[in-house]
């Protein structure tokens, strides 16, 4: 179907580091050994990588859709996608519309995205939105760490029940895995509170602590054999001195796999906004000695954005700090979300520290198989600005130039100026594609080996990595040329990956009365029907009963 | 700048110990609201159900909902915005005179009592109806109540949500937002979505005579809109998709009978709190669904020359010249 | 020698013509002007389809005709002069950066929205949202002067930050809504909710009006010290303020709580 010849290939999964290699993609859109005699792309002098994989982003569902409604001023000034024969209309910007999201990701060479926060109650909505995001393949994570039915099981010491409940919810949501946000804190927020300490009982419970939730939920994800480990947004996000909480959380995870989301927001020292400083060295050290844990940077880029997170209490604080608009949506029994527009400024000391922390983590964590490129879109910045981060990682000179624009009193608050490391193209390919694909358990992604999905991005070699990564020469999805010379040629529908963990069939009867007690819809109407998921691809999980 | 602080209805059912209905008559317009969500339900947080909850009704007249309320505040017609703005000042302990308060038809005692109850609530929820959002001041009246709810979070947990009318208004709003970034009042004339309520909202477009055709699904503007808007619908080619004969279908050039959504056609309806509900049809209809009709119209249009002439690209309207 | 444009046929749907702007026309030959793109609904058409064009290469522009359906004239203009004979549609002089717009006739909504500098003079009535912030924006006009001799609509000066709006007649509801600075002068008062949620800035009314309950009276029979200065600034624009009048000064909006000033001519 497609042949790519003569390119310098960077394929970390197969340890190919810049060697010239031809690639063949068969009629099923997968890499094959056999040669095919159809279209050939001559990639001589070009750089070839597996399509990007975003391990943590917010592109569809109630929260981002709330953010869209709240930011008409951004839509007016942003890049518009004018309808043509090959694409539908839409808007880019801080909270891009669905069609534009697909075009923007693909336009930058990303071909798989993981929507990291879905309440089960509105999962049907999220899937409908994802169906309207063209080109890229997708997966979703279900918000679990504040689900009261599950918390009640943990409080009662019913681990197996809690595990069955989690599995039941994942299948009801037709999602791919578990996201834990501020365990216990969002539940407390429903009374206007928060949970910032791992070992104090959560408001409304006698003995259940955030620490217990963290430990048990990570174990549940492992026991269920989910392809992706627990995806954790730690307690105490964004607060000065939260490194203590983060390290404490990591200790609660010992023995389990885990992915720590947007760790930049959890790596601060100091004890107030005046004394906030980077504590990334401590956090990176932990990662360097614990290879079973992965993370994504959640890097901050200066400029306007809109922050959206299930972390309601943090958003209320941010609203009070900024005096700007505030949206909040609490979701019955499960979770909540908050939305606040925000501008990161280099002149603002706190923002400058945040900016440095994201880059520091990406540079100080030695293995790019452990730390991935992300901005926690749109929280730290918009995903379409990833090429700027790549440039910062690849060029120390450029970093130094940017550091000069920061307030002068930042000197002893960050370590970035002392870091000499520069990313190689192999590092970039690992951090943007091979690493996140492996962490997500998507074996067919981020890998140019035989049998894997034919998702490829091809760049003209340029001196400025920012330019090079922003404007790929070709983007290929499942063997189809999607982007050629900056133009969208095709906009096929993507797939959606779903996990099907095992649970005791009696869970349904167990759930019904609890459900009817705290929800307001019919039990039968709650699970998303599989027919409603566009292009569903089901991953059967291996659970401990089988092994 | 305020914002919108809200929750799903299950949160109200579980937690709300203080409920305000403003400018609505739920007893008659949303008869199951009290029993399903707001008043009668017991929960682990509110074990005594109705006894654990306080309900305040604010309206310009006595309706059947008064009987269900613990406190009824009769606001003078057209003074809702002023009353909410006074409450915003009072919660911040700003000085407002007795005469100023009395202009709204209420006494200082009543408002002090309301404010102290609001602050003492564990979980407050305000619902507002068309008596607020469709009377003089319109979107600013809604904004006022949403802002008051947001600001109450400095003291305790508070949320607000609109009581939407019938039909899947919320669903249209949700989908327009994900496809275009805007909930309604959108123009595509430049090939990309632009938003300006008042300029592009349906009533205004029709009243000014700014469109030369109309395509109507799931609505009956011929029965609800002002006369100049209806007159324009009569002047231009109007196409209606509806299972029934309506005011609009009678004035339309074309009426395509479709299957009734939810009864004979499947889909998703979005509840007033934006929770998606699957529609599972019980009956079969000889008529096509709205979706099918629209799809076939789209297919027919796709056979015509593309709307944008070859080689031309519309410009965005922005600040930049 | 300027450019003269005359509308030769009525648009059936709104006609968007942001090219009718000195910045664009100043460098165009007659042929180039004729070929500029305007939008009749979704159709892109050359300017000459709707306008007869006389003159070229000038930033002195005159437009004649019933332009009620013509929108975005003078969008973002930074120099020159636009003279309009006839009624004109929405967004006139939106995002304006400098120069002068004069209209003999009525104007639509959103004139001078989010403008930074320059002058808009309407010899007639105008619609709503004059000098306002577009939906969701934090700031409306940031400078310049808008003068409407007749009456105006809703939300005049919404979220304005700086600059002056003078309305000879009366305005409708929400004049100075969420105002953050600048001055609004009302010749004939306003309907209701004047200065609602204002933070700062000054609204002066030369006629009694209904004051929001969340404004506190500060001083009665007060002669604002800045009035002579304002009067002097407006004289060059042909606006004369009554001299030696005293005002009642209100502060608000307490709901914010804001420190805006509402000056109402003492009765
Ligand atoms: Zn996130």
């Amino acid at each position: 179907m497609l042949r790519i010849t003569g390119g310098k290939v960077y394929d970390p999964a197969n340890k190919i580091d810049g060697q010239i290699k031809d690639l063949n993609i068969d009629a099923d859109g997968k890499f094959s050994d056999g040669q095919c005699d159809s279209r050939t792309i001559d990639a001589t002098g070009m750089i070839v990588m597996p399509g990007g994989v975003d391990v943590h982003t917010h592109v569809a569902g109630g929260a981002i859709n709330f953010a869209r409604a709240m930011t008409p001023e951004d839509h007016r000034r942003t890049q518009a996608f004018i309808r043509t024969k090959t694409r539908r209309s839409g808007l880019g910007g801080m909270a891009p519309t669905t069609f534009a999201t697909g075009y923007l990701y693909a336009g930058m060479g990303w071909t798989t995205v993981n929507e990291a926060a879905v309440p089960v109650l509105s999962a049907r909505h999220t899937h409908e939105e994802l169906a309207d995001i063209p080109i890229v393949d997708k997966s979703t994570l279900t918000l679990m760490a504040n689900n009261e039915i599950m918390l009640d099981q943990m409080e009662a010491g019913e681990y197996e029940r809690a595990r069955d409940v989690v599995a039941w919810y994942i299948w009801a949501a037709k999602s791919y895995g578990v996201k834990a946000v501020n365990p216990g804190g969002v539940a407390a927020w429903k009374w206007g509170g928060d949970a910032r300490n791992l070992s104090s009982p959560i408001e409304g419970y006698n003995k259940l602590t955030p620490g217990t939730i963290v430990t048990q939920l990570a174990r549940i994800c492992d026991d269920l054999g989910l392809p992706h480990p627990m995806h954790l947004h730690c307690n105490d996000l964004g607060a000065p001195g939260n490194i203590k909480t983060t390290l404490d959380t990591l200790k609660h995870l010992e023995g389990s796999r885990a992915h720590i989301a947007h760790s930049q927001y959890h790596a601060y020292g100091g004890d107030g906004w005046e004394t906030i400083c980077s504590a990334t060295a401590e956090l990176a050290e932990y990662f360097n000695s614990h290879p079973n844990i992965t993370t994504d940077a959640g890097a901050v880029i200066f400029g306007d954005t809109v922050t959206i997170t299930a972390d309601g209490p943090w958003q209320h604080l941010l609203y009070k700090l900024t005096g700007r608009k505030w949206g909040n949506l609490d979701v019955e029994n499960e979770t909540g979300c908050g939305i606040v527009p925000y501008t990161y400024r280099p002149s603002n000391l706190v923002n400058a520290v945040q900016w440095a922390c994201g880059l520091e983590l990406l540079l100080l964590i030695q293995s790019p198989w452990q730390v991935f490129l992300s901005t926690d879109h749109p929280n730290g910045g918009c995903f379409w600005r990833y090429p700027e981060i790549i440039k910062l990682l690849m060029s120390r000179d450029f970093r130094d130039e940017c550091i000069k624009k920061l307030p002068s009193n930042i000197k002893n608050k960050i370590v970035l100026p002392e870091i000499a490391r520069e990313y190689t193209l192999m590092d970039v390919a690992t951090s943007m594609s091979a690493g996140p694909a492996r962490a997500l358990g998507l074996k067919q992604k981020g890998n140019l080996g035989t049998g894997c999905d034919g998702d490829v991005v091809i760049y003209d070699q340029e001196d400025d990595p920012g330019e090079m990564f922003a404007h790929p020469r070709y983007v290929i999805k499942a063997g189809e040329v999607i982007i050629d010379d900056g133009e969208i040629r095709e906009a096929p529908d993507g797939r959606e990956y779903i996990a099907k963990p095992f649970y005791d069939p009696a869970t349904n009867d167990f759930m019904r009365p609890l459900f009817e007690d705290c929800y307001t819809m019919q039990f039968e109407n709650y699970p998303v029907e599989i027919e409603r998921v566009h292009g569903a691809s089901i991953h059967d999980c291996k659970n401990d009963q089988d092994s | 700048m305020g914002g919108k602080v809200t929750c799903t209805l299950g949160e109200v059912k579980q937690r709300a110990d203080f409920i305000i209905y403003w400018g609505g008559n739920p007893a008659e317009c949303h008869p199951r609201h009290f029993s399903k969500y707001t008043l009668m339900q017991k929960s682990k947080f509110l074990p005594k159900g109705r006894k654990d909850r306080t309900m305040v009704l604010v309206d310009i007249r006595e309706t059947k909902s008064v009987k269900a309320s613990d406190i009824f505040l009769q606001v003078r017609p057209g003074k809702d915005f002023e009353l909410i703005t006074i409450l915003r000042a009072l919660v911040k302990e700003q000085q407002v005179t007795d005469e100023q308060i009395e202009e709204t038809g209420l006494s200082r005692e009543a408002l002090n009592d309301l404010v102290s109850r609001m602050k003492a609530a564990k979980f407050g929820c305000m619902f507002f109806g068309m008596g607020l959002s469709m009377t003089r001041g319109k979107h600013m009246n809604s904004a006022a109540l949403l802002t008051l709810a947001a600001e109450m979070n400095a003291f305790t947990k508070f949320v607000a949500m609109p009581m939407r009318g019938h039909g899947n208004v919320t669903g249209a709003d949700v989908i327009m937002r994900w496809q275009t970034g805007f909930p309604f009042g959108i123009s595509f004339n430049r090939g990309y979505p632009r938003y300006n309520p008042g300029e592009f909202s349906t009533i205004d477009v029709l009243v000014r005579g700014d469109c030369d055709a109309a395509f109507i699904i799931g609505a009956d503007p011929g029965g609800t809109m002002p006369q100049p808007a209806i007159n324009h619908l009569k002047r231009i080619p109007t196409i209606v998709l509806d299972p029934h004969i309506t005011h609009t279908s009678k004035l339309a050039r074309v009426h395509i009978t479709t299957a009734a959504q939810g009864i004979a056609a499947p889909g998703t309806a979005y509840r007033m709190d934006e929770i998606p509900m699957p529609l599972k049809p019980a009956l079969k209809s000889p008529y096509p669904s709205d979706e099918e009709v629209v799809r076939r119209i789209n297919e027919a249009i796709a056979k015509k020359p593309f709307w944008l002439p070859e080689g031309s690209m519309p410009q965005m309207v922005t600040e930049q010249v | 020698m300027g450019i003269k444009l005359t509308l030769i046929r009525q648009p059936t749907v709104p006609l968007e013509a942001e090219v009718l702007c000195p910045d664009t026309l100043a460098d165009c030959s007659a042929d180039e002007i004729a070929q500029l793109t305007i939008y009749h609904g979704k159709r892109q058409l050359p300017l000459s389809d709707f306008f007869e064009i006389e003159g070229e290469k000038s930033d002195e522009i005159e437009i004649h005709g019933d332009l009620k359906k013509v929108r975005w004239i003078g969008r973002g203009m930074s120099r020159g002069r636009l003279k309009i004979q006839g009624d004109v549609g929405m967004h006139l002089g939106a995002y304006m950066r400098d120069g002068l717009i004069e209209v003999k006739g009525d104007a639509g909504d959103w004139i001078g929205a989010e403008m930074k500098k320059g002058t808009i003079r309407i010899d007639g009535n105008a619609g709503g949202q004059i000098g306002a912030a577009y939906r969701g924006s934090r700031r409306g006009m940031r400078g310049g002067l808008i003068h409407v001799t007749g009456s105006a609509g809703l939300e005049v000066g919404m979220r304005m930050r700086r600059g002056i709006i003078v309305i000879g007649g009366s305005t409708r509801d929400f004049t100075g809504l969420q105002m953050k600075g600048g001055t609004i002068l009302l010749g004939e008062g306003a309907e209701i909710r004047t200065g609602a949620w204002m933070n700062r800035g000054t609204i002066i009314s030369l006629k009694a009006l209904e004051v929001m309950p969340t404004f506190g009276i500060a001083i009665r029979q007060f002669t604002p010290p800045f009035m002579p200065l304002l009067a002097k600034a407006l004289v060059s624009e042909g606006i004369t303020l009554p001299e030696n009048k005293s005002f009642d000064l209100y502060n608000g909006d307490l709901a914010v709580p804001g420190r805006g000033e509402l000056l109402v001519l003492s009765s």
Side-chain angles (χ1 to χ4, degrees):
Chain A
M1 182 185 181
L2 187 73
R3 203 171 140 68
I4 302 160
T5 60
K8 272 198 242 176
V9 175
Y10 294 84
D11 179 13
N14 297 296
K15 301 199 169 62
I16 297 169
D17 185 2
Q19 286 93 325
I20 310 280
K21 187 175 182 255
D22 295 350
L23 297 171
N24 294 292
I25 304 173
D26 66 18
D28 296 328
K30 309 227 182 266
F31 292 111
S32 74
D33 292 329
Q35 277 198 18
C36 40
D37 44 15
S38 53
R39 179 173 177 186
T40 299
I41 288 177
D42 179 5
T44 307
M46 298 184 191
I47 287 165
V48 180
M49 288 185 181
V53 177
D54 200 334
V55 76
H56 186 113
T57 184
H58 303 281
V59 289
I64 189 85
N65 214 28
F66 199 158
R68 291 182 186 114
M70 275 179 56
T71 52
E73 70 283 10
D74 184 62
H75 301 334
R76 268 198 298 279
R77 64 181 178 219
T78 192
Q79 181 195 0
F81 285 82
I82 288 166
R83 190 180 153 218
T84 67
K85 282 177 189 162
T86 52
R87 69 177 198 214
R88 296 188 60 173
S89 71
L91 297 166
M94 309 187 314
T97 57
T98 49
F99 307 123
T101 299
Y103 307 145
L104 284 165
Y105 262 117
M108 182 175 79
W110 260 247
T111 48
T112 306
V113 301
N114 180 37
E115 160 56 59
V118 181
V120 187
L121 193 59
S122 58
R124 189 174 272 109
H125 167 179
T126 308
H127 291 297
E128 287 188 352
E129 258 194 59
L130 287 173
D132 273 352
I133 298 182
I135 307 174
V136 293
D137 289 335
K138 296 144 283 200
S139 57
T140 62
L141 302 179
T142 297
L143 290 161
M144 282 307 307
N146 294 282
N147 183 303
E148 289 158 33
I149 293 178
M150 181 200 75
L151 296 187
D152 290 347
Q153 303 316 309
M154 289 182 175
E155 166 91 349
E158 297 277 353
Y159 173 80
E160 274 81 24
R161 273 267 199 249
R163 188 193 58 204
D164 283 338
V165 166
V166 171
W168 186 90
Y169 270 114
I170 290 172
W171 184 240
K174 301 294 176 288
S175 83
Y176 185 73
V178 169
K179 169 76 175 297
V181 173
N182 188 355
V186 180
W189 167 243
K190 293 184 170 173
W191 299 115
D194 195 358
R196 300 179 60 182
N197 179 323
L198 281 241
S199 49
S200 305
I202 297 158
E203 197 162 339
Y205 292 86
N206 292 323
K207 50 179 205 253
L208 187 65
T209 64
T212 315
I213 304 175
V214 166
T215 306
Q216 296 205 0
L217 200 49
R219 204 178 123 203
I220 286 172
C221 292
D222 286 352
D223 286 353
L224 290 174
L226 293 173
H228 183 49
M230 177 175 69
H231 193 108
L232 176 62
H233 159 144
C234 299
N235 299 66
D236 217 8
L237 173 138
N242 62 9
I243 183 68
K244 282 193 228 74
T245 313
T246 311
L247 291 172
D248 193 16
T249 306
L250 288 166
K251 291 204 183 83
H252 280 84
L253 289 167
E254 303 239 327
S256 296
R257 300 176 305 158
H259 177 85
I260 306 298
H262 40 69
S263 47
Q264 177 277 128
Y265 286 106
H266 304 278
Y268 307 142
D271 53 13
W273 296 115
E274 279 81 45
T275 55
I276 189 171
C277 60
S278 161
T280 53
E282 274 175 86
L283 190 56
E285 199 182 291
Y286 191 94
F287 280 100
N288 289 336
S289 56
H290 292 77
N292 60 326
I293 311 259
T294 56
T295 187
D296 62 272
V300 155
I301 319 172
F302 295 122
D304 289 326
T305 192
V306 55
T307 65
I308 64 171
T309 163
D311 202 334
W314 164 251
Q315 292 297 77
H316 182 236
L317 177 71
L318 200 58
Y319 159 66
K320 288 194 287 187
L321 289 173
T322 60
R324 285 166 72 171
K325 297 179 237 189
W326 175 38
N328 181 80
L329 172 63
D330 289 343
V331 178
E332 61 208 58
N333 188 62
E334 296 174 5
T335 180
C337 82
I339 295 135
V340 180
Y342 194 78
T343 307
Y344 291 98
R345 295 191 168 86
S347 56
N348 174 311
L349 192 65
V350 175
N351 295 163
V353 168
Q354 293 178 308
W355 175 81
C357 283
L359 298 172
E360 287 169 11
L361 285 166
L362 281 159
L363 293 162
L364 291 174
I365 299 175
Q366 277 146 16
S367 169
W369 288 98
Q370 264 183 286
V371 61
F372 314 134
L373 193 58
S374 87
T375 53
D376 188 17
H377 165 82
N379 289 297
C382 303
F383 67 79
W384 41 267
R385 296 183 66 189
Y386 287 171
E388 296 172 45
I389 302 178
I390 297 177
K391 182 175 177 180
L392 286 160
L393 296 172
M394 291 186 72
S395 162
R396 188 182 184 185
D397 287 347
F398 181 55
R399 285 204 297 270
D400 287 343
E401 230 173 86
C402 295
I403 290 170
K404 279 192 202 125
K405 292 176 196 147
L406 305 182
S408 54
N409 55 346
I410 196 152
K411 291 256 162 56
N412 46 12
K413 289 176 173 288
I414 57 174
V415 295
L416 189 63
E418 288 101 69
I419 303 175
R421 182 176 170 198
E422 291 184 332
Y423 265 41
T424 61
L425 287 172
M426 193 67 164
D427 288 339
V428 175
T430 314
S431 181
M432 73 173 241
S433 174
R438 185 178 286 180
L440 283 167
L442 291 170
K443 295 196 175 77
Q444 69 282 33
K445 296 293 180 189
N447 186 329
L448 303 179
T450 302
C452 293
D453 290 351
D455 302 347
V456 188
V457 51
I458 304 175
Y459 305 98
D460 276 321
Q461 191 152 13
E462 278 184 63
D463 293 336
D464 182 340
E467 283 300 305
M468 178 176 126
F469 282 96
H471 306 290
R473 179 65 181 76
Y474 299 98
V475 178
I476 293 144
K477 171 78 199 322
E480 231 180 325
V481 178
I482 301 297
I483 305 284
D484 184 348
D485 216 4
E487 293 286 322
I488 295 169
R489 304 289 163 164
E490 302 287 339
D493 289 340
R495 278 169 200 283
E496 232 204 276
Y497 297 107
I498 290 168
K500 189 176 186 182
F502 173 85
Y503 55 85
D504 180 352
T507 310
N508 221 40
D509 292 333
F510 171 76
M511 284 294 297
R512 183 187 290 271
L514 298 174
F515 182 94
E516 284 169 355
D517 193 42
C518 52
Y519 284 88
T520 49
M521 76 195 283
Q522 281 182 11
F523 187 62
E524 283 72 24
N525 281 341
Y526 183 74
V528 178
E529 304 81 356
I530 188 73
E531 310 80 60
R532 281 177 173 260
V533 183
H534 234 69
S537 170
I538 300 173
H539 178 110
D540 267 309
C541 303
K542 256 203 294 188
N543 75 327
D544 55 354
Q545 270 97 333
D546 302 330
S547 56
Chain B
M1 266 178 72
K4 185 175 175 186
V5 179
T6 189
C7 67
T8 63
L9 286 166
E11 283 294 291
V12 178
K13 165 182 156 179
Q14 290 274 69
R15 298 167 199 270
D17 59 344
F18 191 78
I19 292 135
I20 303 177
Y21 284 99
W22 198 304
N25 177 12
E28 286 179 281
C29 304
H30 294 86
R32 297 199 300 159
H33 221 252
F34 294 152
S35 57
K36 278 181 80 175
Y37 310 122
T38 54
L39 295 186
M40 308 317 289
Q41 290 279 350
K42 291 179 181 162
S43 76
K44 67 176 170 182
F45 308 117
L46 304 164
K48 287 185 273 181
R50 181 68 186 87
K51 284 206 188 74
D52 282 335
R53 303 182 198 250
T54 306
M55 196 273 254
V56 179
L57 182 74
V58 187
D59 207 345
I60 56 166
R61 70 179 78 84
E62 276 197 45
T63 63
K64 286 208 172 137
S65 299
V66 173
K67 241 175 59 195
S69 69
D70 298 299
I71 299 167
F72 172 54
L73 300 175
Q74 189 163 2
V75 57
R76 201 165 279 161
K79 290 290 181 189
D80 297 274
F81 181 84
E82 284 73 10
L83 178 55
I84 300 165
T85 305
I86 288 174
L87 288 170
R88 283 183 60 200
L90 290 179
V91 298
K92 294 177 197 139
E93 289 169 8
Q94 297 289 314
Q95 297 302 318
V96 184
T97 65
D98 288 354
E99 302 86 79
Q100 286 170 323
I101 291 173
E102 279 154 22
E103 280 175 37
T104 64
L106 294 161
S107 67
R108 177 179 292 280
E109 292 69 51
L111 294 199
N112 281 346
D113 176 58
L114 179 63
V115 167
S116 61
R117 283 173 191 269
M118 281 164 67
K119 287 187 177 175
K122 281 198 84 179
F123 187 113
C125 181
M126 306 180 191
F127 293 97
F128 56 99
M130 309 231 276
L132 186 70
S133 59
M134 298 305 277
T135 53
R136 188 168 176 178
K138 294 196 173 159
H139 65 277
M140 285 310 299
N141 293 349
S142 314
L145 206 68
L146 290 168
T147 305
L148 174 61
E151 290 177 348
M152 277 306 296
N153 282 272
F155 308 98
T156 184
K157 182 82 193 179
F158 241 95
V159 297
M161 77 176 83
M163 303 275 283
R164 285 282 185 43
H166 300 284
N168 195 2
V169 188
T170 309
D173 185 312
V174 166
I175 293 174
M176 290 312 280
R177 253 153 53 203
W178 85 54
Q179 296 201 343
T180 74
F182 307 117
F184 59 86
I186 304 158
S187 171
F188 290 96
N189 75 312
R190 299 256 179 154
Y192 74 97
R194 287 190 298 149
Y195 169 70
N196 200 17
E199 181 176 7
F200 302 134
S201 30
T202 320
I203 290 189
D204 303 275
V205 166
L206 290 172
V207 166
R208 273 194 305 267
D210 281 350
C211 59
D212 56 4
F215 184 79
I216 294 160
I217 311 177
D220 189 12
T224 54
M225 281 195 183
Q227 199 56 43
I230 295 170
N231 292 345
H232 192 66
L233 283 175
K234 287 180 188 161
R235 263 196 301 272
I236 58 176
T238 294
I239 303 153
V240 174
L241 270 52
D242 206 294
H244 310 290
I245 291 173
T246 64
H247 293 99
T248 318
S249 77
K250 283 185 204 154
L251 62 81
R253 294 279 165 93
V254 179
H255 175 197
I256 301 172
T257 306
T258 52
Q261 212 69 38
I263 299 167
T268 309
Y270 283 77
R271 216 163 63 177
M272 66 168 76
D273 56 356
E274 300 195 357
I275 295 302
M277 312 294 268
L279 298 175
K280 296 173 177 170
L283 302 171
K284 272 211 154 66
S285 167
Y287 300 109
S289 67
D290 290 332
E291 189 194 3
E292 191 189 337
V293 173
V294 174
R295 188 163 35 78
R296 282 165 61 186
I297 292 173
N298 260 334
E299 283 164 11
I301 291 173
K303 292 195 188 108
K304 300 206 162 198
F306 193 59
W307 74 283
L308 205 58
E310 202 64 54
S312 78
M313 189 56 89
Q315 294 293 307
M316 285 181 74
V317 189
T318 65
E319 197 168 343
Q320 263 69 46
V321 178
Chain C
M1 173 61 206
I3 300 170
K4 186 177 169 194
L5 298 146
T6 310
L7 189 74
I8 48 175
R9 69 181 169 106
Q10 259 307 307
T12 52
V13 294
L15 186 70
E16 296 182 338
E18 68 273 21
V19 291
L20 297 179
C21 174
D23 296 66
T24 310
L25 300 184
D27 302 324
C28 292
S29 67
D31 284 348
E32 286 165 340
I33 293 174
Q35 288 309 310
L36 289 169
T37 303
I38 53 175
Y39 300 79
H40 188 221
K42 65 175 180 177
R43 313 250 174 240
Q44 299 176 55
L45 299 169
L47 188 64
S48 55
D49 266 27
F50 276 94
F51 289 91
E52 184 187 274
I53 301 152
E54 296 163 67
E56 60 181 355
K57 296 197 175 169
S58 170
D59 63 4
E60 297 274 313
I61 297 149
E62 255 181 64
I63 312 175
H64 294 253
D66 176 1
L67 305 157
K68 262 199 289 301
K69 275 203 188 304
V70 186
R71 297 180 183 171
W72 294 103
I73 296 177
R75 184 273 320 251
M77 70 184 260
S78 68
R79 61 174 167 145
R81 188 155 120 157
L82 260 172
K83 267 178 107 163
I84 297 168
Q85 292 282 346
D87 296 348
V88 61
M90 289 184 196
H91 309 291
L92 174 77
Y95 303 119
M96 185 170 177
R97 286 175 289 162
D98 210 348
L100 173 66
I101 299 177
E102 290 173 299
V103 179
K104 290 259 183 294
D106 295 344
D109 301 335
W110 301 100
I111 62 172
E114 299 191 17
M115 72 186 278
K116 292 194 180 71
K117 203 177 163 209
T119 302
I120 302 177
R121 209 174 286 141
I122 312 288
D123 205 349
N125 301 321
Q129 293 87 18
I130 294 171
Y134 281 112
R135 300 291 170 207
S137 287
R138 297 170 82 187
R139 280 189 291 268
M141 79 188 270
R142 269 155 264 187
L145 173 79
I146 303 174
H147 178 201
V148 177
T149 60
S151 63
L154 299 167
E155 298 178 351
V156 169
M158 181 231 295
R159 279 180 236 151
M160 71 185 281
R161 182 73 182 272
R162 225 175 282 130
I164 302 172
I165 299 177
V166 181
I167 309 289
S170 64
T171 58
R172 293 179 60 202
D173 305 359
F174 293 113
T175 300
L177 176 69
Q178 290 176 299
M179 200 170 162
K180 293 160 184 265
T183 306
I184 300 177
L185 184 69
L186 304 170
E188 292 284 326
E191 293 191 21
I192 57 172
R193 298 167 184 171
T194 306
W197 302 6
M198 74 189 286
N199 211 322
R200 289 193 182 200
T202 308
I203 302 173
I204 303 161
S205 177
L206 301 179
K207 199 177 164 192
L209 54 68
E210 194 178 314
V211 178
M212 283 277 295
T214 44
F215 277 71
I217 181 82
I219 314 171
R220 285 194 200 281
Q221 305 282 340
F222 167 65
T223 315
F226 62 82
M227 281 305 256
L229 271 172
L230 183 66
K232 214 172 136 194
L234 293 177
V235 149
S236 59
E237 301 294 337
I239 302 163
T240 37
L241 286 182
E243 281 172 57
N244 303 322
K245 296 281 184 191
S246 62
F247 292 82
D248 296 344
L249 170 65
Y250 299 84
N251 285 130
D253 184 331
L254 298 173
V256 176
R259 287 186 281 156
E261 297 175 325
L262 176 59
L263 287 152
V264 184
L265 196 72
S266 304
S267 47

